Amino acid sequence: LAKTTQPISMDSYEGQEVNITCSHNNIATNDYITWYQQFPSQGPRFIIQGYKTKVTNEVASLFIPADRKSSTLSLPRVSLSDTAVYYCLVGDGVMRGSSNTGKLIFGQGTTLQVKP
Amino acid sequence: NAGVMQNPRHLVRRRGQEARLRCSPVKGHSHVYWYRQLPEEGLKFMVYLQKENIIDESGMPKERFSAEFPKEGPSILRIQQVVRGDSAAYFCASSPFHGGSEETQYFGPGTRLLVL
């Protein structure tokens, strides 16, 4: 069962780039890395998912080194509204094309506080 | 949140009463997951259901908790004889299908249960 470790909290200022690193030393060969964002009193929201190298969408970028034992979520030019908890997940054996149950394993996440 | 509906949003029960939490997945999604979140913690998987079937209930307490996802209607998480320790936010997530390229789980806004 792949376990993730990420910083408990981070502070940043508006306009800065924020990088949140997550370690997952026991990631399985076919596992994908997924990041979710959660605002207070709301459900988690999918941000980005990747397998290796770099993935970019309109919200964030995800950098994954060749050994896949860690990943870095990059948020460009954060604003106050990016203050939230960010979860790095390596699903319980979730892999594309598998028949696993797909349950997501959430850690404590990283609480990002963006200051003006 | 891509259209997952949960109700009620807030539920207050006295010890010993029953709590019924409802989840309507995104239209066309046949996979439903329930998670529980205690204050200051990450989400914990409870149960995964497909239409009329429980696929994985490994995270659900053996007693007092049950879940269903009937052919017609919403998924229901039922907690009998609630205790104060059941106070938490309960999130439902749905996905279009499992094992393919669209495994992203979309979360609802949650139901906050308070047991007095």
Side-chain angles (χ1 to χ4, degrees):
Chain A
L1 188 65
K3 180 181 176 181
T4 61
T5 303
Q6 52 184 123
I8 296 294
S9 63
M10 292 182 70
D11 288 341
S12 182
Y13 291 92
E14 282 190 291
Q16 289 187 331
E17 177 184 78
V18 171
N19 296 308
I20 306 174
T21 297
C22 176
S23 65
H24 26 77
N25 292 318
N26 297 324
I27 189 170
T29 302
N30 294 324
D31 280 347
Y32 277 72
I33 300 151
T34 309
W35 286 79
Y36 278 80
Q37 174 192 55
Q38 185 180 26
F39 297 112
S41 301
Q42 294 187 26
R45 182 176 75 106
F46 172 86
I47 301 177
I48 197 166
Q49 183 180 69
Y51 182 80
K52 63 179 179 180
T53 62
K54 177 183 175 182
V55 179
T56 297
N57 61 22
E58 66 277 6
V59 177
S61 294
L62 180 60
F63 299 92
I64 306 169
D67 66 5
R68 303 200 331 120
K69 293 183 182 300
S70 67
S71 59
T72 298
L73 175 72
S74 180
L75 305 172
R77 297 181 298 281
V78 295
S79 63
L80 295 177
S81 62
D82 292 317
T83 293
V85 179
Y86 292 83
Y87 294 99
C88 164
L89 283 75
V90 176
D92 181 25
V94 173
M95 48 189 166
R96 296 184 178 186
S98 80
S99 60
N100 282 318
T101 64
K103 60 187 177 187
L104 299 177
I105 311 296
F106 287 83
Q108 282 196 309
T110 297
T111 299
L112 172 65
Q113 180 70 51
V114 180
K115 302 175 182 178
Chain B
N1 297 329
V4 177
M5 307 282 287
Q6 288 187 252
N7 66 81
R9 293 292 306 276
H10 300 272
L11 183 60
V12 180
R13 285 287 179 266
R14 296 190 180 280
R15 282 179 296 171
Q17 292 184 319
E18 178 180 286
R20 277 182 173 247
L21 288 61
R22 288 177 290 277
C23 168
S24 297
V26 174
K27 186 177 180 180
H29 286 194
S30 58
H31 301 260
V32 166
Y33 305 78
W34 284 93
Y35 295 82
R36 176 166 63 177
Q37 185 175 34
L38 296 173
E40 309 302 323
E41 293 188 12
L43 284 74
K44 297 289 191 288
F45 167 81
M46 297 181 74
V47 61
Y48 161 47
L49 311 100
Q50 291 182 29
K51 283 289 186 181
E52 301 185 272
N53 292 304
I54 296 175
I55 307 302
D56 181 354
E57 55 183 347
S58 59
M60 198 155 69
K62 295 288 187 287
E63 298 180 355
R64 302 188 299 107
F65 285 72
S66 62
E68 62 178 16
F69 188 17
K71 186 177 181 181
E72 300 291 337
S75 175
I76 306 288
L77 179 67
R78 182 183 178 200
I79 311 172
Q80 295 178 293
Q81 300 174 339
V82 295
V83 301
R84 287 197 175 139
D86 296 333
S87 296
Y90 292 83
F91 292 97
C92 167
S94 73
S95 64
F97 56 96
H98 183 75
S101 60
E102 295 292 332
E103 290 176 358
T104 302
Q105 292 183 25
Y106 297 89
F107 284 80
T111 293
R112 277 144 191 87
L113 172 65
L114 176 62
V115 180
L116 302 177

